[in-house]
Amino acid sequence: MPTWEYLTTPLMIHNTAAILNNWGSDGWELVQVVTGPEGGLVAYMKRPIVAATVAGA
């Protein structure tokens, strides 16, 4: 069963695609965008945690 790590990041409305593309190139998948507590947009991201390879396995 996969395990995940999570990230939240603010989104600037004039640069949303560039921000999401940057995180996506690092393997992050957008889960949801919500309005933050101060009114801006916040992106919730996730990506699978890659298990460390054990030598000789």
Side-chain angles (χ1 to χ4, degrees), residues 11-36:
L11 293 176
M12 294 177 281
I13 195 69
H14 65 279
N15 206 14
T16 304
I19 294 167
L20 294 174
N21 285 332
N22 185 51
W23 287 111
S25 68
D26 286 336
W28 293 97
E29 177 182 357
L30 179 65
V31 176
Q32 185 174 16
V33 175
V34 299
T35 303

Side-chain angles (χ1 to χ4, degrees), residues 24-57:
S25 68
D26 286 336
W28 293 97
E29 177 182 357
L30 179 65
V31 176
Q32 185 174 16
V33 175
V34 299
T35 303
E38 297 177 11
L41 297 176
V42 177
Y44 285 77
M45 317 283 279
K46 71 176 184 177
R47 71 178 173 187
I49 295 175
V50 178
T53 304
V54 178

